Amino acid sequence: MKKTIINMLLKKLNTEPHVKEKSNQNEIDLKSQDISRNFEHNLEVFKSIFSVPKNTDVKVREFTVRALHRRAFIIYLSTMVDIQNIQEGIVEKLIRTEQPSGRIQDIVSYPVQKTITNIGQITEFITGGITALFIDGDEACYLFETTKTRGRGIEKSENEVIVKGAKEAFNEKVIDNIALIRKKIKNENLIVESQVVSKRSRNDVFLIYQKDLASDELLNNIKDKLSALDTDRILDLSILEQYLEERPRSLFPTILYTERPDRAASFIEEGHIVLLMSNSPSSLILPATFWAMIHSPEDHYLRTPYGNFIRVLRLMAMFVAAFASSFYIAITNYHVGMIPPDLLMAIAGTRERVPFPSIVEILMMEIAFELIREAGLRVPSPIGPTIGIVGALILGQAAVQANVISPIVIIVIALSGLSSFIISDTSLNFAIRISRFLFIFAAGTMGIYGATSLFILGLFYLASLKSFGTPYFAPMTPQFFSSKDLIIRHVPFKERFRPGYLKPKDAVKQRKG
């Protein structure tokens, strides 16, 4: 008896993968075929593909087209379409119209997007929110653009907050995102091109650019990379970004991620290419340089002296965030002679009863600061800021009173942490925060010489990075003609050229006044 059961199980295990593989191959072969003129055959094929009635949101409705005296059915996903428009503009017109007509376009009041015959293509359109109409005897299927996805409206940007300038941000509906860009660039040369990037999910990526500006070489390079992706699903632009980067393990980002349509539009006007995707409240800007990462949209909305002041402050904050902790370790451990005597006595007095070396103090407080920072982001928003402030105050005060941490370390960590908040780009912010720990270890082993050596190696590394063929430090090095909008920007009427590293078709954006 046991032997019989084991044989049955083995037989089942040996046959099931083969049956499954055969079933998948049959489905692939079916999708490569065209639809039939036979009503019943088409109905059974699409019910089988969409697992009707098991699949509850797939709706199939059969009826008779009175004007043609022929049977028909429509199929759509009820969760992705405007059901009222389907009922009033398509179904009721087909059922009630008695005037003879040979064209479906003359009967329905809803515009026909296209007619198509391939089963696989029809399936892709249906899963995208398109309604398909099949009529007995017709060799093609009629597709209607009835998509209506639900989502949040246009709101303020949460991560890229500015005081002066536009407040609207991208949302999860790609139609709204495209409209936000078109609202800012009213030009017939603005191209919105779509490309499918995954096999199973079949998600569309939209390439937005100006055909009279963007380089054909850059455009083809991006399209080739998108076509070369061999994956089942890419659900968000953040995941797509990791597939597109030339060095995905690099600490510093080479693709600019933004949720502001005004920022995306300004890069399009320079000759860049912007990527949008459904369900992603953001965009990717290609290519990106280091200078684009440290700039903010507000730099251009403010008057030139104010914008430059903010830029210099941001650059200083970036250096403080990266080097403050490591500099403190270096001068207290290796370069005491650099400290004025009075300050040295003050530091020595505060550290007299602290049992740990300075590098341990710094690491303890840096990790504690990062924990408090992440905890404040992850907890519900009403209590998040409170937890951050209270946690930092209580932890710092208790550590000083317990003689575990010296007061000056609290000052250094607070200054370093606050400076990191000024860096608006999320990816660059993470890069600086992680680099800070590398500089701490370098300074702890070799003092300022170690931190300086690591900084020089870092510059060499950054100079080797490229974003779709564009050097990371362009147009500073290598030298390209541009508006020289790097650290200090000129007044608007002096910014005459588009970035030369993009090889734009029209390099001059403003004639001499």
Side-chain angles (χ1 to χ4, degrees), residues 37-40 42 70-73 134-138:
R37 288 176 176 269
N38 183 271
F39 172 85
E40 297 291 346
N42 292 334
R70 284 191 280 171
R71 298 175 66 193
F73 75 90
F134 298 83
I135 297 179
D136 190 17
D138 283 5

Side-chain angles (χ1 to χ4, degrees), residues 422-438:
I422 301 180
I423 305 167
S424 58
D425 186 81
T426 306
S427 298
L428 184 62
N429 191 297
F430 271 109
I432 296 299
R433 287 160 61 187
I434 296 172
S435 299
R436 182 167 57 201
F437 286 96
L438 299 179

